[in-house]
Amino acid sequence: MEGRPEGGGNADKYIVLGVTGSIAAYKAPLLVRAIRDAEIGVKVVMTDAARQFITPLALEIVSENQVLWDNFQSPLSHIKLAGNAAAMIIAPATLNTISKFSTAIADNLLTTIFMAFHGPVIIAPAMNWRMYENPIFKDRLAYLKDKGVIEVPPERGTLACGEEGVGRMASVGRILHTLLRTLGSGDMKGLKVVVSSGPTREYIDPVRFITNKSSGKMGHALARSASLRGAIVTLISGPTSLLPPEDIEVIRVETSAGMQRAVLEKSKDADIVVMAAAVCDFRPERFSPGKLSRTESFNLSLNKTTDILAEVSSQRGTLKTPYITGFAAETGDRKDRAREKLHSKGIDMIVFNDVTAKGAGFDSDTNVMSVITREDELFIPEMPKGDGANRIFDIILRETGRGCS
Ligand SMILES: Cc1cc2nc3c(=O)[nH]c(=O)nc-3n(C[C@H](O)[C@H](O)[C@H](O)COP(=O)(O)O)c2cc1C
């Protein structure tokens, strides 16, 4: 590929993407694009069979790197690529290539690089469900996983052959999430984190409810951040149109009562609880089981809902003692109210945000926050909610003695 610039994505960090001979190879360019969007360069290596399904040219264009498939195309490429890559992903990974990996066969460029590579390897199998269920293959796959190879398991669905079963390659989002988690700091590895997110709905009758403007973006960003840093995350989410982050347990709730049940249950053995949900403070005093007619006029009386943060805080010590963070969404500079909540609810940290401030607020992609602990106060200036979520966990880790900064 003379004359074409090398090093798409971040030139310093690249992964080797192995593409093998499955019909799912048509998804490889989308995966390359997603990895590059995460600012990681991609160097593609194909098998001969893969070139029957997709052209090297397509992958060369999206990766902006030379695509290799032959050991003799670029001498010593197997050593050079293996030496400097941050990780290897094989997607799609055929039964044939996975089995070769597990028996140390190096008969093409991809299998040779695999044998020379000592970093993390992620495989995304794609095949007919009967092949995936084959007991000999299952043994080979288990052996590889035992040696540290990370599998992004295939999903159930209609397969290329028209049959239904488990064998469809995992989504691009899941493969990317696994890569980012693998390359992440791992500083939250093993920690159990519960995040609540989104609004709640409090029903007036079966079709009408009161709610608030929360989009769930901050809570979802927190869940994703903790997961990418290695935590075992449970996201308890009120109604939102957001797709949940990959590979985390999601519990969907609708009302403040549902949120309360799920949060109390999941917090029992959590290390960190972050309550980013905008739980309705009030619910209708009476629920009408039949739809109210517009001919009836009525007054809406509201009662306070349970203070979930205070409840979680009061159950501390029964099993574990989680570090509890609450969010205080206020209009205007009411840090005083946030600080008061920190003390009255007996929690460890409160994140204050003025939802009317520029660059902050419910549906915004950015946030501006003040993190208030019992001894300290830190300002997080306007930044994407994902970066803000990372800052919050940096502070939590430092407060709990796990962080280094
Ligand atoms: C149309 C077609 C589709 C195929 N799809 C798959 C597949 O999804 N998964 C798989 O493991 N093998 C599949 N195969 C078989 C592989 O292409 C074959 O085992 C090949 O030797 C794999 O070589 P490779 O692992 O070097 O890419 C398919 C073969 C054909 C002809």
Side-chain angles (χ1 to χ4, degrees):
M1 203 183 73
E2 259 157 297
R4 204 183 278 265
E6 285 280 300
N10 179 340
D12 297 337
K13 194 191 243 181
Y14 74 88
I15 63 128
V16 169
L17 173 65
V19 181
T20 65
S22 153
I23 182 70
Y26 79 89
K27 296 176 187 166
L30 297 174
L31 180 59
V32 173
R33 181 54 59 79
I35 297 169
R36 292 197 58 206
D37 284 348
E39 299 193 349
I40 299 169
V42 183
K43 299 193 179 182
V44 179
V45 175
M46 303 177 80
T47 62
D48 284 340
R51 288 191 298 131
Q52 298 288 331
F53 293 90
I54 179 170
T55 64
L57 181 66
L59 290 161
E60 189 167 305
I61 290 167
V62 285
S63 70
E64 288 186 59
N65 274 316
Q66 185 183 16
V67 173
L68 299 172
W69 57 87
D70 186 341
N71 258 325
F72 304 98
Q73 206 176 343
S74 169
L76 293 178
S77 54
H78 63 290
I79 302 298
K80 284 188 210 151
L81 284 177
N84 300 320
M88 269 184 94
I89 299 182
I90 295 82
T94 55
L95 176 145
N96 179 55
T97 293
I98 293 170
S99 306
K100 283 184 189 172
F101 284 173
S102 76
T103 39
I105 290 176
D107 65 347
N108 62 28
L109 181 59
L110 181 60
T111 48
T112 310
I113 293 173
F114 173 78
M115 292 314 301
F117 184 62
H118 286 191
V121 179
I122 297 165
I123 56 170
M127 62 196 71
N128 173 276
W129 68 270
R130 270 181 282 230
M131 292 167 78
Y132 190 68
E133 287 292 309
N134 182 296
I136 303 169
F137 172 68
K138 272 179 141 176
D139 271 3
R140 297 290 86 221
L141 182 59
Y143 177 80
L144 264 190
K145 284 163 75 173
D146 188 50
K147 294 281 174 234
V149 169
I150 302 158
E151 183 196 15
V152 192
E155 294 165 1
R156 175 176 291 281
T158 306
L159 307 174
C161 54
E163 291 180 0
E164 175 88 17
V166 176
R168 196 158 69 180
M169 187 172 84
S171 68
V172 165
R174 265 186 90 196
I175 298 170
L176 178 66
H177 188 87
T178 307
L179 173 68
L180 297 180
R181 195 174 151 101
T182 304
L183 297 181
S185 64
D187 59 355
M188 294 182 71
K189 197 168 179 186
L191 287 179
K192 285 192 178 167
V193 176
V194 173
V195 178
S196 76
S197 175
T200 62
R201 290 174 177 170
E202 311 303 325
Y203 279 85
I204 299 165
D205 69 18
V207 296
R208 300 183 182 94
F209 51 80
I210 55 173
T211 188
N212 57 57
K213 283 180 67 180
S214 170
S215 64
K217 284 182 180 171
M218 193 66 225
H220 279 57
L222 284 156
R224 186 176 140 83
S225 158
S227 171
L228 290 180
R229 293 166 74 154
I232 304 153
V233 182
T234 301
L235 174 69
I236 302 169
S237 175
T240 155
S241 56
L242 299 177
L243 285 176
E246 303 290 338
D247 277 339
I248 65 169
E249 181 190 25
V250 181
I251 299 175
R252 293 183 190 282
V253 298
E254 209 177 357
T255 61
S256 60
M259 179 73 77
Q260 180 190 354
R261 274 193 299 276
V263 170
L264 290 182
E265 181 54 36
K266 286 291 166 183
S267 301
K268 280 184 186 158
D269 67 342
D271 298 291
I272 295 169
V273 177
V274 185
M275 286 281 295
V279 180
C280 286
D281 290 323
F282 305 99
R283 76 161 70 89
E285 186 177 43
R286 230 172 291 135
F287 169 72
S288 166
K291 184 187 166 205
L292 291 164
S293 151
R294 60 177 283 140
T295 55
E296 300 168 40
S297 66
F298 71 98
N299 290 320
L300 190 60
S301 297
L302 302 174
N303 286 340
K304 274 193 207 167
T305 54
T306 311
D307 185 338
I308 304 176
L309 255 181
E311 289 267 304
V312 179
S313 176
S314 71
Q315 92 171 1
R316 265 207 287 214
T318 49
L319 283 169
K320 265 193 181 178
T321 304
Y323 188 89
I324 303 174
T325 298
F327 267 67
E330 300 284 355
T331 49
D333 188 11
R334 297 306 309 265
K335 252 185 259 170
D336 55 320
R337 277 217 315 225
R339 192 168 284 109
E340 200 277 317
K341 275 186 192 168
L342 172 82
H343 292 290
S344 65
K345 293 170 198 277
I347 58 176
D348 302 293
M349 177 193 281
I350 196 141
V351 181
F352 162 79
N353 61 327
D354 174 0
V355 292
T356 61
K358 186 184 153 290
F362 283 130
D363 206 26
S364 167
D365 288 327
T366 57
N367 213 350
V368 181
M369 298 174 278
S370 290
V371 176
I372 304 169
T373 62
R374 283 167 188 276
E375 276 92 40
D376 222 349
E377 185 181 317
L378 290 121
F379 180 61
I380 302 180
E382 181 178 339
M383 63 178 70
K385 285 181 171 170
D387 294 341
N390 267 328
R391 293 277 185 98
I392 289 170
F393 282 120
D394 287 345
I395 298 168
I396 292 176
L397 292 191
R398 200 183 58 205
E399 289 284 312
T400 53
R402 292 180 64 110
C404 51
S405 58

